[in-house]
Amino acid sequence: MDQVNDTVVTEFVLLGLAQSLGARLVLFLFLLLFFVGIILGNLLIVLTVVLDPHLHSPMYILLANLSLIDVGLSSTTVPRIISDILSDCTVISFRNCMIQMFFIHVMGGVEMLLLIAMAYDRYTAICKPLYYLTIMNPKMCVLLIVTAWVIGVIHAVSQFVFVINLPFCGPNNVGSFYCDFPRVIKLACMDTYRLEFVVTANSGFISMGTFFLLIVSYIFILVTVRQNSSNDLSKAFFTLSAHITVVVLFFAPCMFLYVWPFPTKSLDKFFAIVDFVVTPVLNPAIYTLRNKDMKLAMRRLSQQVTSSMEMT
């Protein structure tokens, strides 16, 4: 479905995840099950944090925002992928492709900043416990969230304004099952080497820098705890291991998708599914199954729901 060179591209062709009907059905059920888990698991965290006064602290407010972002990030791609799996014609309009790319990078940018904010929150709580309530006050919490959203939007807009004005008049096969800046830029009818470098620097190098910054900050926290009290080291490591797991799951696919110079379709599919499907569904499990306060809050919430149902 490539367009002729003297026409303007009005739609893009996406890559199918599987060819055989059996593989399509398995993927359809897998993605549908995981997407339902993403929606229910993350919204349960948001609802628990909102309704339980014991969780009205910066750490859980940031966690609730992270859950909302996970829902948003998955919703940009997964519903479309699910609907395309059983279809023989995986075509997306130019407008919808641009919208998808924009919101992928808004949500991704916000999540990146939220993970930094959560790392700062844990640093303050573990390394400066006496000043925690002073530093991480409600105003600071709101400021961190607003800053994450502002920078996320700037991150997306800074790439979107260049791509939306590119001339597309030739091939329209994206070579992936969703639209993203590096893939779509290559289809433009002009030399895009500089623009590709800008996208790599904006998304890839920033992801790498943020990832290493977060890992170094967690190591610094553990070293500080060990110097002050070796007895608290295991407790701090247990607390931070959940954050480290989320950081690795989020940033590893990003670094591969935007920095790795030899992309292959199989690895591209794998890491994209990890980013949009696996990580968002694992986040609720990581933060609830390993967190005593969250488990207690969910138990209280379930008891309240049960008692209200019995009264009615």
Side-chain angles (χ1 to χ4, degrees):
M1 281 190 63
D2 290 353
Q3 302 281 349
V4 184
N5 282 340
D6 59 354
T7 62
V8 176
V9 170
T10 58
E11 59 187 22
F12 293 100
V13 179
L14 299 176
L15 189 69
L17 277 175
Q19 299 299 322
S20 67
L21 181 60
R24 288 185 183 184
L25 288 173
V26 171
L27 277 170
F28 177 82
L29 294 174
F30 167 81
L31 291 175
L32 183 62
L33 180 65
F34 268 64
F35 187 63
V36 171
I38 290 167
I39 300 298
L40 295 180
N42 284 289
L43 290 184
L44 178 61
I45 287 180
V46 174
L47 191 65
T48 304
V49 172
V50 170
L51 296 180
D52 196 308
H54 299 89
L55 299 181
H56 291 177
S57 63
M59 183 179 76
Y60 295 107
I61 293 172
L62 292 171
L63 175 58
N65 278 271
L66 180 67
S67 293
L68 284 176
I69 291 300
D70 279 335
V71 171
L73 185 62
S74 292
S75 299
T76 58
T77 55
V78 179
R80 173 84 201 194
I81 296 169
I82 292 173
S83 65
D84 284 348
I85 284 178
L86 300 180
S87 173
D88 293 325
C89 186
T90 54
V91 173
I92 185 170
S93 68
F94 180 89
R95 174 176 172 272
N96 289 340
C97 182
M98 294 296 151
I99 291 173
Q100 186 181 64
M101 289 192 297
F102 178 76
F103 282 103
I104 284 174
H105 283 265
V106 169
M107 299 298 170
V110 175
E111 181 154 350
M112 197 180 300
L113 270 295
L114 282 177
L115 290 172
I116 293 174
M118 293 174 74
Y120 178 70
D121 175 77
R122 290 302 85 204
Y123 162 76
T124 309
I126 295 174
C127 298
K128 298 183 178 181
L130 298 178
Y131 301 98
Y132 177 73
L133 294 177
T134 303
I135 297 173
M136 291 301 296
N137 54 62
K139 287 184 179 179
M140 175 59 76
C141 191
V142 171
L143 179 63
L144 290 172
I145 294 169
V146 171
T147 301
W149 275 99
V150 170
I151 294 179
V153 171
I154 293 173
H155 163 73
V157 170
S158 64
Q159 299 174 86
F160 184 76
V161 292
F162 293 106
V163 178
I164 191 69
N165 293 314
L166 288 175
F168 295 98
C169 55
N172 65 342
N173 195 319
V174 176
S176 182
F177 56 88
Y178 68 100
C179 290
D180 201 3
F181 289 128
R183 300 279 187 181
V184 173
I185 287 172
K186 293 180 184 294
L187 302 177
C189 302
M190 61 175 288
D191 182 12
T192 58
Y193 174 78
R194 291 183 179 179
L195 188 54
E196 288 178 43
F197 177 79
V198 170
V199 169
T200 301
N202 199 321
S203 297
F205 295 148
I206 289 177
S207 297
M208 287 182 63
T210 306
F211 172 74
F212 289 115
L213 174 66
L214 288 170
I215 295 300
V216 169
S217 68
Y218 289 136
I219 293 173
F220 176 77
I221 292 172
L222 292 174
V223 170
T224 304
V225 171
R226 188 175 183 276
Q227 290 176 345
N228 294 333
S229 175
S230 58
N231 296 329
D232 294 334
L233 183 61
S234 59
K235 183 180 177 181
F237 183 79
F238 181 82
T239 302
L240 293 178
S241 60
H243 295 266
I244 294 171
T245 303
V246 171
V247 166
V248 171
L249 286 172
F250 177 76
F251 282 101
C254 289
M255 289 187 289
F256 172 84
L257 293 172
Y258 296 107
V259 181
W260 185 248
F262 311 107
T264 61
K265 288 183 179 179
S266 58
L267 283 175
D268 180 65
K269 289 180 181 180
F270 172 76
F271 281 113
I273 288 175
V274 169
D275 226 10
F276 295 122
V277 182
V278 178
T279 302
V281 83
L282 283 180
N283 282 354
I286 290 171
Y287 282 112
T288 54
L289 296 179
R290 297 170 59 89
N291 190 295
K292 184 176 68 175
D293 292 334
M294 282 297 298
K295 288 189 286 187
L296 289 173
M298 287 183 175
R299 197 171 301 152
R300 285 193 295 266
L301 181 62
S302 64
Q303 289 172 353
Q304 290 175 5
V305 172
T306 304
S307 61
S308 62
M309 290 177 63
E310 291 175 350
M311 290 176 64
T312 56

